[in-house]
Amino acid sequence: LFGYVGIEAVLDQMRIKTMKTGFEFNIMVVGQSGLGKSTMVNTLFKSKVSRKSSCPGYEERIPKTVQLLSVTHVIEEKGVKMKLTVTDTPGFGDQINNQNCWEPILEYINDQYERYLREEILINRKRKIPDTRVHACVYFVPPTGHWLRPLDLEFMRRLNKITNVVPVIAKADTLTLEERAEFKQRIQKDLKAHGIHVYPQEDFDNDADDRLLNDKIREKIPFAVVGADKEHQVNGKKVLGRKTKWGIIEVENPAHCEFPLLRDLLIRSHLQDLKDITHNVHYEQYRVYRLHESNP
Ligand code: GDP
Ligand code: MG
């Protein structure tokens, strides 16, 4: 019908556009206190993703009754700028009564949708709306090796309705390899039994290729992670790890833990997908609900 049209030039245009404008990506860490959330924020920033980062990060405090703390680094690679923000949350579970401990977290996530919505419905809206919406919420499961606790199930069930939840087994170095594997299977079963479909959700696989790739990830979720913010010398190389009596647990070594899988999922292989689902599914749901509410 047509000769060669050359529509693939659009790819270059998209590239150039992304390079000019950059993009934002926001991660949140959630879970009981003491599970290594703050350490993981540092691990993410210190690991390979951002070692090349050119700008030092700045910190921004969100003054509220809940002390959520967001750290942003601008990471630039080959001319592409990513503004990566990780929001650390205070741990819950210190109180005897943990009822509604999810509320400040859910409220924060919804507040970011609300902010975006308000910008979007302005008559003179910005060409590029600042995006503080949480694209991925990393949920820390305590390394008990037994079952998911009712609190974790309830928290994830609620989070899962409004954002992409990526559960991880915290402090995996405290479990043996067999314990990790067994615990992982129990968690997968538990989540399924409770109808909690964490990211990547089967419903959102676009095609057979997607399904194949995501099935592999679903088998490995929750990733058994270890966090560290100190560097050590191993064979003359600097590695990020935890020093123990028996040696150094290297967090970026796939033979030692699954932190590299978590990082790659979030920041490499599924970044755009996480952003798309946030915008097209979670934000859309919020938007429809809010606009119905104001125009019944
Ligand atoms: P948060 O309360 O969830 O933010 O936990 P922190 O990041 O403050 O960590 C609590 C303690 O656990 C600190 O002493 C950390 O050094 C330690 N920790 C953090 N990550 C790990 C891990 O992966 N394995 C082990 N064994 N300890 C960890
Ligand atoms: Mg902390």
Side-chain angles (χ1 to χ4, degrees), residues 148 153 156-158 160-161 187-198 201 203:
L148 279 178
L153 279 167
M156 278 193 270
R157 199 175 61 76
R158 286 166 191 262
N160 199 46
K161 284 185 187 155
I187 293 174
Q188 286 172 0
K189 249 194 227 159
D190 249 12
L191 288 173
K192 219 176 243 165
H194 286 84
I196 302 169
H197 303 285
V198 295
Q201 306 91 331
D203 291 355

Side-chain angles (χ1 to χ4, degrees), residues 74-253:
V74 176
I75 297 167
E76 194 173 340
E77 273 181 14
K78 294 189 183 162
V80 182
K81 274 201 199 98
M82 165 167 80
K83 193 173 155 208
L84 175 65
T85 299
V86 184
T87 302
D88 196 359
T89 62
F92 56 85
D94 298 331
Q95 277 75 37
I96 294 170
N97 186 354
N98 287 308
Q99 215 181 355
N100 303 336
C101 62
W102 39 76
E103 253 160 29
I105 311 273
L106 301 181
E107 195 179 289
Y108 175 85
I109 296 170
N110 282 325
D111 279 353
Q112 310 317 306
Y113 292 143
E114 182 66 27
R115 264 202 210 190
Y116 196 89
L117 181 66
R118 296 223 170 149
E119 290 283 348
E120 205 181 48
I121 59 181
L122 290 177
I123 290 176
N124 296 308
R125 59 183 175 184
K126 293 181 185 131
R127 276 181 76 184
K128 194 164 167 286
I129 299 173
D131 192 1
T132 57
R133 295 170 300 180
V134 175
H135 300 114
C137 181
V138 180
Y139 189 90
F140 285 64
V141 174
T144 60
H146 307 299
W147 308 95
L148 279 178
R149 305 169 306 172
L151 177 64
D152 292 315
L153 279 167
E154 188 62 23
F155 210 135
M156 278 193 270
R157 199 175 61 76
R158 286 166 191 262
L159 272 177
N160 199 46
K161 284 185 187 155
I162 63 167
T163 188
N164 296 311
V165 178
V166 180
V168 295
I169 298 173
K171 297 185 173 183
D173 52 318
T174 61
L175 299 172
T176 66
L177 293 179
E178 283 109 57
E179 284 169 336
R180 285 186 205 180
E182 242 173 70
F183 192 32
K184 189 177 280 205
Q185 292 208 326
R186 286 219 188 116
I187 293 174
Q188 286 172 0
K189 249 194 227 159
D190 249 12
L191 288 173
K192 219 176 243 165
H194 286 84
I196 302 169
H197 303 285
V198 295
Y199 185 83
Q201 306 91 331
E202 271 167 67
D203 291 355
F204 306 146
D205 290 341
N206 291 310
D207 51 33
D209 287 345
D210 250 22
R211 169 135 313 156
L212 215 64
L213 174 72
N214 287 343
D215 275 344
K216 286 203 188 111
I217 292 165
R218 285 187 278 265
E219 277 168 29
K220 292 190 184 134
I221 274 184
F223 300 130
V225 300
V226 177
D229 54 8
K230 291 202 180 61
E231 290 191 324
H232 304 275
Q233 288 284 339
V234 174
N235 302 328
K237 267 199 236 148
K238 268 196 183 159
V239 301
L240 207 51
R242 305 189 72 80
K243 198 171 179 175
T244 73
K245 265 194 254 175
W246 305 277
I248 289 167
I249 303 162
E250 301 167 30
V251 301
E252 290 178 88
N253 184 338

Side-chain angles (χ1 to χ4, degrees), residues 45 53-60 71-74:
F45 282 125
S53 82
S54 47
C55 313
Y58 63 88
E59 293 190 359
E60 171 192 325
V71 182
T72 300
H73 285 222
V74 176

